[in-house]
Amino acid sequence: MPLALLALAIGAFGIGTTEFVIMGLLPQVGADLDVSVPTAGYLVTGYALGVMAGAPVMTALGTKISRKNMLMLLMGLFILGNLISALAPVFAVMLIGRVVASLAHGAFFGIGAVVAAELVAPEKKAGAISMMFTGLTVANVIGVPLGTFVGQSAGWRVTFLIVAALGVLGLAGVAKLVPDLPKPEGVRLRHELAAFKDAQVVLAMAMTVLGFGGVFAAITYIAPMATEVGGFAESSLTWLMVVFGLGMVGGNLIGGRFADRKLMPMLLTALGGLSVVLFLFTFLASGKATTVAAVFLIGALGFATVPPLQKRVLDHAHGAPTLASALNIGAFNLGNALSAWLGGLVISAGLGYTAPNVVGAALAAAALLLALVSRRLERRPAASRVAASGRPAQDHAPAPTAMR
Protein backbone atom coordinates (compact mmCIF):
# COMPACT_ATOMS: atom_id res chain seq x y z
CA MET A 1 0.00 0.00 0.00
CA PRO A 2 1.33 3.50 -0.85
CA LEU A 3 2.68 5.68 1.97
CA ALA A 4 0.12 8.31 0.95
CA LEU A 5 -2.51 6.13 2.65
CA LEU A 6 -0.64 6.66 5.93
CA ALA A 7 -1.05 10.42 5.58
CA LEU A 8 -4.77 10.00 4.93
CA ALA A 9 -5.05 7.65 7.93
CA ILE A 10 -3.35 10.22 10.19
CA GLY A 11 -5.84 12.86 9.11
CA ALA A 12 -8.67 10.39 9.71
CA PHE A 13 -7.26 9.61 13.16
CA GLY A 14 -7.38 13.29 14.14
CA ILE A 15 -10.90 13.75 12.76
CA GLY A 16 -12.16 10.62 14.51
CA THR A 17 -10.63 11.74 17.79
CA THR A 18 -12.19 15.19 17.75
CA GLU A 19 -15.60 13.82 16.74
CA PHE A 20 -15.94 11.35 19.61
CA VAL A 21 -13.68 12.67 22.41
CA ILE A 22 -16.12 15.45 23.28
CA MET A 23 -18.61 12.85 24.58
CA GLY A 24 -16.36 12.02 27.51
CA LEU A 25 -15.56 15.67 28.26
CA LEU A 26 -19.05 17.22 28.30
CA PRO A 27 -19.19 17.60 32.12
CA GLN A 28 -15.80 19.37 32.22
CA VAL A 29 -16.63 21.63 29.26
CA GLY A 30 -20.05 22.49 30.70
CA ALA A 31 -18.62 23.34 34.13
CA ASP A 32 -15.82 25.47 32.69
CA LEU A 33 -18.06 27.38 30.27
CA ASP A 34 -20.95 27.64 32.76
CA VAL A 35 -23.57 25.65 30.85
CA SER A 36 -25.50 22.49 31.73
CA VAL A 37 -24.48 19.09 30.39
CA PRO A 38 -27.56 18.93 28.10
CA THR A 39 -26.59 22.33 26.68
CA ALA A 40 -23.01 21.16 26.28
CA GLY A 41 -24.46 18.25 24.29
CA TYR A 42 -25.14 20.72 21.48
CA LEU A 43 -21.41 20.41 20.78
CA VAL A 44 -22.13 16.84 19.61
CA THR A 45 -25.26 17.78 17.66
CA GLY A 46 -23.62 20.83 16.11
CA TYR A 47 -20.70 18.73 14.90
CA ALA A 48 -22.99 16.12 13.30
CA LEU A 49 -25.05 18.80 11.54
CA GLY A 50 -21.86 20.50 10.38
CA VAL A 51 -20.65 17.25 8.83
CA MET A 52 -23.89 16.81 6.89
CA ALA A 53 -23.92 20.43 5.71
CA GLY A 54 -20.20 20.68 5.09
CA ALA A 55 -19.86 17.53 2.97
CA PRO A 56 -21.68 18.84 -0.14
CA VAL A 57 -20.63 22.47 0.26
CA MET A 58 -16.90 21.84 0.73
CA THR A 59 -16.86 19.16 -1.97
CA ALA A 60 -18.57 21.52 -4.42
CA LEU A 61 -15.95 24.16 -3.68
CA GLY A 62 -13.28 21.53 -4.14
CA THR A 63 -14.24 20.90 -7.77
CA LYS A 64 -12.27 24.04 -8.63
CA ILE A 65 -8.89 22.80 -7.36
CA SER A 66 -6.86 19.59 -7.26
CA ARG A 67 -7.83 16.94 -4.73
CA LYS A 68 -4.49 17.15 -2.94
CA ASN A 69 -4.82 20.92 -2.45
CA MET A 70 -8.39 20.46 -1.26
CA LEU A 71 -7.28 17.86 1.30
CA MET A 72 -4.66 20.32 2.58
CA LEU A 73 -7.24 23.10 2.84
CA LEU A 74 -9.58 20.80 4.73
CA MET A 75 -6.87 19.88 7.23
CA GLY A 76 -6.18 23.60 7.68
CA LEU A 77 -9.88 24.14 8.44
CA PHE A 78 -9.76 21.23 10.89
CA ILE A 79 -6.76 22.74 12.69
CA LEU A 80 -8.45 26.16 12.89
CA GLY A 81 -11.67 24.71 14.32
CA ASN A 82 -9.88 22.80 17.07
CA LEU A 83 -7.76 25.82 17.98
CA ILE A 84 -10.94 27.90 18.30
CA SER A 85 -12.41 25.21 20.56
CA ALA A 86 -9.27 25.01 22.69
CA LEU A 87 -9.15 28.79 23.23
CA ALA A 88 -12.90 29.45 23.44
CA PRO A 89 -13.73 31.96 26.22
CA VAL A 90 -17.50 31.22 26.11
CA PHE A 91 -19.73 28.36 25.00
CA ALA A 92 -20.90 30.06 21.79
CA VAL A 93 -17.30 30.34 20.56
CA MET A 94 -16.69 26.70 21.47
CA LEU A 95 -19.72 25.71 19.40
CA ILE A 96 -18.43 27.75 16.46
CA GLY A 97 -15.10 25.96 16.72
CA ARG A 98 -16.81 22.57 16.66
CA VAL A 99 -18.83 23.51 13.57
CA VAL A 100 -15.73 24.87 11.78
CA ALA A 101 -13.85 21.62 12.46
CA SER A 102 -16.84 19.54 11.35
CA LEU A 103 -16.96 21.22 7.94
CA ALA A 104 -13.77 19.38 7.03
CA HIS A 105 -15.03 15.96 8.11
CA GLY A 106 -17.29 14.75 5.29
CA ALA A 107 -15.29 16.26 2.46
CA PHE A 108 -11.97 14.91 3.82
CA PHE A 109 -13.25 11.35 4.02
CA GLY A 110 -15.13 11.67 0.74
CA ILE A 111 -12.23 13.11 -1.25
CA GLY A 112 -9.74 10.96 0.66
CA ALA A 113 -11.63 7.79 -0.32
CA VAL A 114 -11.48 8.81 -3.98
CA VAL A 115 -7.74 9.52 -3.73
CA ALA A 116 -7.09 6.26 -1.87
CA ALA A 117 -8.92 4.28 -4.55
CA GLU A 118 -6.93 5.99 -7.31
CA LEU A 119 -3.59 5.11 -5.69
CA VAL A 120 -4.01 1.34 -6.14
CA ALA A 121 -5.06 -1.22 -8.72
CA PRO A 122 -8.83 -1.62 -9.28
CA GLU A 123 -8.94 -4.94 -7.45
CA LYS A 124 -7.46 -3.32 -4.31
CA LYS A 125 -9.71 -0.25 -4.04
CA ALA A 126 -11.79 -1.37 -1.06
CA GLY A 127 -8.63 -2.38 0.81
CA ALA A 128 -7.14 1.07 0.22
CA ILE A 129 -10.33 2.76 1.43
CA SER A 130 -10.33 0.61 4.55
CA MET A 131 -6.70 1.56 5.26
CA MET A 132 -7.69 5.23 5.34
CA PHE A 133 -10.70 4.49 7.56
CA THR A 134 -8.41 2.56 9.89
CA GLY A 135 -7.33 5.96 11.20
CA LEU A 136 -10.92 6.66 12.22
CA THR A 137 -11.36 3.28 13.88
CA VAL A 138 -8.02 3.40 15.71
CA ALA A 139 -9.03 6.82 17.04
CA ASN A 140 -11.76 5.07 19.01
CA VAL A 141 -9.23 2.64 20.51
CA ILE A 142 -6.40 5.07 21.28
CA GLY A 143 -7.26 8.68 20.51
CA VAL A 144 -10.61 8.97 22.28
CA PRO A 145 -9.66 7.17 25.55
CA LEU A 146 -6.32 9.01 25.70
CA GLY A 147 -7.93 12.34 24.86
CA THR A 148 -10.55 11.77 27.55
CA PHE A 149 -7.86 10.92 30.10
CA VAL A 150 -5.82 14.01 29.20
CA GLY A 151 -8.93 16.20 29.32
CA GLN A 152 -9.93 14.91 32.74
CA SER A 153 -6.44 15.24 34.21
CA ALA A 154 -4.91 18.25 32.45
CA GLY A 155 -8.02 20.05 31.19
CA TRP A 156 -10.19 19.68 28.11
CA ARG A 157 -8.44 22.59 26.38
CA VAL A 158 -5.22 20.58 26.31
CA THR A 159 -7.05 17.77 24.54
CA PHE A 160 -8.16 20.05 21.73
CA LEU A 161 -4.68 21.54 21.41
CA ILE A 162 -3.31 18.02 20.98
CA VAL A 163 -5.99 17.27 18.37
CA ALA A 164 -5.00 20.46 16.51
CA ALA A 165 -1.39 19.20 16.58
CA LEU A 166 -2.59 15.93 15.03
CA GLY A 167 -4.13 18.05 12.29
CA VAL A 168 -0.77 19.71 11.66
CA LEU A 169 0.82 16.26 11.36
CA GLY A 170 -1.89 15.15 8.95
CA LEU A 171 -1.46 18.33 6.87
CA ALA A 172 2.28 17.76 6.64
CA GLY A 173 1.71 14.14 5.65
CA VAL A 174 -0.70 15.05 2.88
CA ALA A 175 1.66 17.74 1.58
CA LYS A 176 4.64 15.37 1.58
CA LEU A 177 3.20 11.97 0.67
CA VAL A 178 0.00 12.40 -1.35
CA PRO A 179 0.75 12.76 -5.07
CA ASP A 180 -0.76 15.68 -6.93
CA LEU A 181 -3.19 13.60 -8.97
CA PRO A 182 -4.58 15.41 -12.01
CA LYS A 183 -8.15 16.62 -11.71
CA PRO A 184 -10.47 14.74 -14.12
CA GLU A 185 -10.91 16.74 -17.30
CA GLY A 186 -14.31 18.21 -17.98
CA VAL A 187 -15.84 17.23 -14.63
CA ARG A 188 -18.04 19.96 -13.21
CA LEU A 189 -20.52 20.14 -10.34
CA ARG A 190 -23.38 19.15 -12.66
CA HIS A 191 -21.49 15.96 -13.48
CA GLU A 192 -21.07 15.22 -9.78
CA LEU A 193 -24.81 15.74 -9.27
CA ALA A 194 -25.59 13.46 -12.23
CA ALA A 195 -24.18 10.53 -10.25
CA PHE A 196 -27.33 10.56 -8.10
CA LYS A 197 -29.41 9.48 -11.08
CA ASP A 198 -27.96 6.01 -10.54
CA ALA A 199 -30.30 4.09 -8.24
CA GLN A 200 -27.38 2.08 -6.85
CA VAL A 201 -25.72 5.25 -5.50
CA VAL A 202 -28.92 6.26 -3.70
CA LEU A 203 -29.44 2.72 -2.39
CA ALA A 204 -25.88 2.58 -1.04
CA MET A 205 -26.39 5.85 0.82
CA ALA A 206 -29.69 4.64 2.25
CA MET A 207 -27.94 1.47 3.42
CA THR A 208 -25.30 3.63 5.08
CA VAL A 209 -27.94 5.64 6.97
CA LEU A 210 -29.85 2.56 8.13
CA GLY A 211 -26.89 0.25 8.75
CA PHE A 212 -24.95 2.71 10.84
CA GLY A 213 -28.16 3.85 12.42
CA GLY A 214 -28.42 0.31 13.74
CA VAL A 215 -24.95 0.56 15.27
CA PHE A 216 -25.48 3.87 17.04
CA ALA A 217 -29.00 3.10 18.22
CA ALA A 218 -27.31 0.73 20.67
CA ILE A 219 -23.96 2.46 21.25
CA THR A 220 -25.44 5.91 21.96
CA TYR A 221 -27.17 4.46 25.03
CA ILE A 222 -24.54 1.90 26.00
CA ALA A 223 -23.70 3.77 29.24
CA PRO A 224 -27.14 3.46 30.92
CA MET A 225 -27.63 0.04 29.32
CA ALA A 226 -24.34 -1.29 30.72
CA THR A 227 -24.65 0.25 34.19
CA GLU A 228 -28.38 -0.09 34.83
CA VAL A 229 -29.02 -3.41 33.06
CA GLY A 230 -25.62 -5.10 32.81
CA GLY A 231 -24.36 -4.16 36.27
CA PHE A 232 -21.13 -2.55 35.03
CA ALA A 233 -19.41 0.11 37.13
CA GLU A 234 -19.15 3.55 35.53
CA SER A 235 -15.37 3.16 35.53
CA SER A 236 -15.77 0.18 33.20
CA LEU A 237 -17.32 2.24 30.42
CA THR A 238 -13.94 3.45 29.11
CA TRP A 239 -12.60 -0.02 28.42
CA LEU A 240 -16.00 -1.12 27.13
CA MET A 241 -15.71 1.57 24.47
CA VAL A 242 -12.19 0.37 23.74
CA VAL A 243 -13.72 -3.06 23.02
CA PHE A 244 -16.14 -1.34 20.64
CA GLY A 245 -13.21 0.43 18.98
CA LEU A 246 -11.30 -2.83 18.57
CA GLY A 247 -14.34 -4.31 16.88
CA MET A 248 -14.45 -1.32 14.53
CA VAL A 249 -10.78 -1.77 13.59
CA GLY A 250 -11.17 -5.49 12.90
CA GLY A 251 -14.45 -5.11 11.01
CA ASN A 252 -13.08 -2.29 8.86
CA LEU A 253 -10.01 -4.31 7.82
CA ILE A 254 -12.01 -7.48 7.16
CA GLY A 255 -14.64 -5.54 5.22
CA GLY A 256 -11.95 -3.96 3.04
CA ARG A 257 -10.24 -7.28 2.40
CA PHE A 258 -13.33 -9.21 1.35
CA ALA A 259 -15.14 -6.35 -0.41
CA ASP A 260 -12.46 -6.43 -3.12
CA ARG A 261 -13.33 -10.10 -3.74
CA LYS A 262 -17.01 -10.54 -2.88
CA LEU A 263 -18.54 -7.14 -2.24
CA MET A 264 -22.24 -7.99 -2.05
CA PRO A 265 -21.81 -11.24 -0.07
CA MET A 266 -19.64 -9.31 2.41
CA LEU A 267 -22.25 -6.56 2.71
CA LEU A 268 -25.19 -8.98 3.09
CA THR A 269 -23.34 -11.02 5.71
CA ALA A 270 -22.39 -7.96 7.76
CA LEU A 271 -25.87 -6.41 7.72
CA GLY A 272 -27.57 -9.72 8.45
CA GLY A 273 -25.20 -10.46 11.31
CA LEU A 274 -25.62 -6.94 12.70
CA SER A 275 -29.42 -7.18 12.80
CA VAL A 276 -29.24 -10.57 14.56
CA VAL A 277 -26.67 -9.42 17.17
CA LEU A 278 -28.66 -6.26 17.96
CA PHE A 279 -31.88 -8.22 18.37
CA LEU A 280 -30.24 -10.80 20.67
CA PHE A 281 -28.51 -8.04 22.67
CA THR A 282 -31.97 -6.86 23.72
CA PHE A 283 -32.35 -10.03 25.79
CA LEU A 284 -28.70 -10.64 26.72
CA ALA A 285 -27.71 -7.17 27.96
CA SER A 286 -28.03 -8.29 31.58
CA GLY A 287 -24.91 -10.46 31.30
CA LYS A 288 -21.46 -8.89 31.40
CA ALA A 289 -19.81 -11.42 29.11
CA THR A 290 -22.61 -11.20 26.55
CA THR A 291 -22.51 -7.40 26.71
CA VAL A 292 -18.78 -7.34 25.96
CA ALA A 293 -19.25 -9.79 23.09
CA ALA A 294 -22.18 -7.84 21.68
CA VAL A 295 -20.37 -4.49 21.85
CA PHE A 296 -17.39 -5.97 19.99
CA LEU A 297 -19.58 -7.60 17.32
CA ILE A 298 -21.67 -4.45 16.82
CA GLY A 299 -18.48 -2.48 16.15
CA ALA A 300 -17.04 -5.19 13.89
CA LEU A 301 -20.17 -5.90 11.84
CA GLY A 302 -21.08 -2.21 11.58
CA PHE A 303 -17.69 -1.13 10.27
CA ALA A 304 -17.40 -4.17 8.00
CA THR A 305 -20.02 -2.37 5.87
CA VAL A 306 -17.96 0.82 5.46
CA PRO A 307 -15.46 -0.20 2.74
CA PRO A 308 -18.00 -2.08 0.58
CA LEU A 309 -20.57 0.72 0.76
CA GLN A 310 -17.99 3.43 0.06
CA LYS A 311 -16.56 1.40 -2.84
CA ARG A 312 -20.05 0.78 -4.18
CA VAL A 313 -20.69 4.52 -4.28
CA LEU A 314 -17.37 5.11 -6.07
CA ASP A 315 -18.04 2.34 -8.59
CA HIS A 316 -21.51 3.57 -9.54
CA ALA A 317 -20.55 7.25 -9.54
CA HIS A 318 -17.61 6.49 -11.81
CA GLY A 319 -16.10 9.53 -13.49
CA ALA A 320 -17.37 12.07 -10.97
CA PRO A 321 -17.48 10.29 -7.60
CA THR A 322 -16.26 12.98 -5.20
CA LEU A 323 -19.59 14.54 -4.17
CA ALA A 324 -21.31 11.14 -3.85
CA SER A 325 -18.41 9.84 -1.76
CA ALA A 326 -18.54 12.85 0.56
CA LEU A 327 -22.31 12.70 0.92
CA ASN A 328 -22.05 9.04 1.87
CA ILE A 329 -19.91 10.16 4.82
CA GLY A 330 -22.64 12.63 5.72
CA ALA A 331 -25.05 9.70 5.59
CA PHE A 332 -23.15 8.06 8.46
CA ASN A 333 -23.83 11.08 10.62
CA LEU A 334 -27.46 11.23 9.51
CA GLY A 335 -27.78 7.61 10.63
CA ASN A 336 -26.18 8.47 13.97
CA ALA A 337 -28.56 11.37 14.57
CA LEU A 338 -31.64 9.43 13.43
CA SER A 339 -30.89 6.40 15.60
CA ALA A 340 -30.05 8.48 18.67
CA TRP A 341 -33.41 10.25 18.32
CA LEU A 342 -35.36 7.02 17.83
CA GLY A 343 -33.53 5.34 20.69
CA GLY A 344 -34.38 8.24 22.96
CA LEU A 345 -38.04 7.99 21.96
CA VAL A 346 -38.38 4.34 22.97
CA ILE A 347 -36.59 4.94 26.27
CA SER A 348 -38.83 7.94 27.00
CA ALA A 349 -41.84 5.75 26.20
CA GLY A 350 -40.86 3.57 29.16
CA LEU A 351 -39.70 0.56 27.15
CA GLY A 352 -36.39 0.33 29.01
CA TYR A 353 -32.72 0.92 28.26
CA THR A 354 -32.47 -2.16 26.02
CA ALA A 355 -35.26 -0.97 23.70
CA PRO A 356 -32.82 0.96 21.42
CA ASN A 357 -31.36 -2.43 20.46
CA VAL A 358 -34.71 -3.37 18.89
CA VAL A 359 -34.66 -0.07 17.00
CA GLY A 360 -31.13 -0.84 15.85
CA ALA A 361 -32.06 -4.34 14.74
CA ALA A 362 -34.98 -2.96 12.71
CA LEU A 363 -32.76 -0.35 11.05
CA ALA A 364 -30.08 -2.92 10.20
CA ALA A 365 -32.75 -5.30 8.84
CA ALA A 366 -34.09 -2.48 6.65
CA ALA A 367 -30.55 -1.90 5.34
CA LEU A 368 -30.30 -5.64 4.60
CA LEU A 369 -33.57 -5.49 2.65
CA LEU A 370 -32.21 -2.59 0.56
CA ALA A 371 -29.02 -4.57 -0.07
CA LEU A 372 -31.12 -7.45 -1.42
CA VAL A 373 -33.03 -5.00 -3.65
CA SER A 374 -29.72 -3.56 -4.85
CA ARG A 375 -28.38 -7.01 -5.72
CA ARG A 376 -31.59 -7.91 -7.53
CA LEU A 377 -31.41 -4.75 -9.64
CA GLU A 378 -27.80 -5.48 -10.45
CA ARG A 379 -28.61 -9.02 -11.59
CA ARG A 380 -31.39 -8.00 -13.93
CA PRO A 381 -30.60 -9.16 -17.46
CA ALA A 382 -29.19 -6.49 -19.71
CA ALA A 383 -32.19 -6.80 -22.01
CA SER A 384 -34.54 -6.06 -19.13
CA ARG A 385 -32.54 -2.99 -18.18
CA VAL A 386 -32.67 -1.78 -21.77
CA ALA A 387 -36.41 -2.35 -21.99
CA ALA A 388 -36.97 -0.53 -18.68
CA SER A 389 -34.90 2.42 -19.82
CA GLY A 390 -36.69 2.69 -23.16
CA ARG A 391 -33.41 2.74 -25.09
CA PRO A 392 -33.10 1.13 -28.52
CA ALA A 393 -32.10 -2.53 -28.52
CA GLN A 394 -28.69 -1.77 -30.05
CA ASP A 395 -27.73 0.12 -26.91
CA HIS A 396 -27.30 -3.04 -24.82
CA ALA A 397 -23.77 -2.05 -23.90
CA PRO A 398 -23.57 0.60 -21.17
CA ALA A 399 -23.44 4.03 -22.74
CA PRO A 400 -20.74 6.41 -21.55
CA THR A 401 -22.16 8.98 -19.15
CA ALA A 402 -21.67 12.69 -19.43
CA MET A 403 -19.18 12.61 -16.62
CA ARG A 404 -16.79 10.20 -18.35
Side-chain angles (χ1 to χ4, degrees):
M1 289 289 179
L3 278 176
L5 293 178
L6 176 62
L8 296 174
I10 292 171
F13 179 85
I15 291 173
T17 300
T18 204
E19 179 181 16
F20 294 111
V21 76
I22 188 64
M23 297 176 185
L25 299 176
L26 287 181
Q28 289 80 9
V29 173
D32 193 30
L33 298 180
D34 196 27
V35 297
S36 66
V37 170
T39 299
Y42 288 131
L43 297 173
V44 178
T45 305
Y47 189 96
L49 293 176
V51 173
M52 288 187 285
V57 172
M58 300 307 297
T59 304
L61 294 175
T63 59
K64 305 295 183 182
I65 61 177
S66 73
R67 288 167 179 161
K68 175 176 179 174
N69 287 339
M70 190 61 195
L71 287 172
M72 293 172 64
L73 284 174
L74 291 169
M75 288 311 300
L77 194 64
F78 172 80
I79 295 165
L80 175 62
N82 282 285
L83 286 176
I84 292 172
S85 295
L87 303 174
V90 295
F91 178 75
V93 176
M94 173 73 172
L95 183 58
I96 291 171
R98 290 288 291 168
V99 172
V100 169
S102 73
L103 295 177
H105 184 126
F108 182 88
F109 279 107
I111 296 171
V114 174
V115 171
E118 290 182 353
L119 292 172
V120 297
E123 68 274 11
K124 296 183 178 179
K125 285 185 177 183
I129 293 169
S130 75
M131 287 299 295
M132 182 192 72
F133 276 94
T134 296
L136 174 64
T137 58
V138 170
N140 283 273
V141 180
I142 299 174
V144 173
L146 185 59
T148 302
F149 173 77
V150 170
Q152 292 174 345
S153 57
W156 60 270
R157 296 181 188 275
V158 177
T159 295
F160 284 99
L161 287 173
I162 292 174
V163 172
L166 287 173
V168 173
L169 186 60
L171 174 59
V174 170
K176 180 70 175 177
L177 299 175
V178 175
D180 196 2
L181 299 170
K183 193 172 68 167
E185 292 294 330
V187 175
R188 299 290 184 269
L189 181 58
R190 67 179 182 275
H191 302 133
E192 298 278 358
L193 292 171
F196 296 96
K197 294 180 180 178
D198 191 318
Q200 295 289 8
V201 173
V202 178
L203 281 170
M205 291 185 178
M207 284 184 266
T208 297
V209 172
L210 295 171
F212 244 71
V215 172
F216 277 88
I219 296 303
T220 299
Y221 300 99
I222 192 62
M225 198 184 310
T227 55
E228 299 296 327
V229 180
F232 285 85
E234 288 188 6
S235 58
S236 300
L237 293 176
T238 298
W239 67 259
L240 197 58
M241 293 309 297
V242 170
V243 170
F244 175 66
L246 290 171
M248 292 168 66
V249 173
N252 176 61
L253 294 175
I254 292 171
R257 182 177 180 83
F258 284 95
D260 277 322
R261 303 176 184 177
K262 301 284 186 179
L263 191 149
M264 286 308 294
M266 177 70 241
L267 187 58
L268 292 169
T269 300
L271 290 172
L274 180 62
S275 60
V276 170
V277 169
L278 285 165
F279 180 74
L280 292 177
F281 191 29
T282 308
F283 308 100
L284 301 176
S286 57
K288 291 186 177 181
T290 50
T291 295
V292 172
V295 166
F296 178 84
L297 288 173
I298 290 169
L301 293 167
F303 251 80
T305 68
V306 174
L309 283 173
Q310 199 70 14
K311 182 177 184 293
R312 197 156 179 80
V313 168
L314 294 181
D315 287 346
H316 287 276
H318 179 71
T322 311
L323 181 60
S325 178
L327 283 177
N328 196 46
I329 303 301
F332 285 105
N333 286 269
L334 177 58
N336 298 353
L338 173 66
S339 62
W341 174 65
L342 291 174
L345 284 182
V346 294
I347 291 175
S348 299
L351 298 178
Y353 287 123
T354 61
N357 294 329
V358 178
V359 173
L363 291 173
L368 175 62
L369 179 61
L370 290 182
L372 292 170
V373 171
S374 176
R375 186 174 67 168
R376 182 175 178 83
L377 289 175
E378 199 167 49
R379 287 182 170 181
R380 287 171 62 189
S384 298
R385 291 198 299 268
V386 171
S389 66
R391 292 174 182 167
Q394 64 266 29
D395 284 341
H396 284 195
T401 63
M403 63 184 108
R404 286 181 183 168

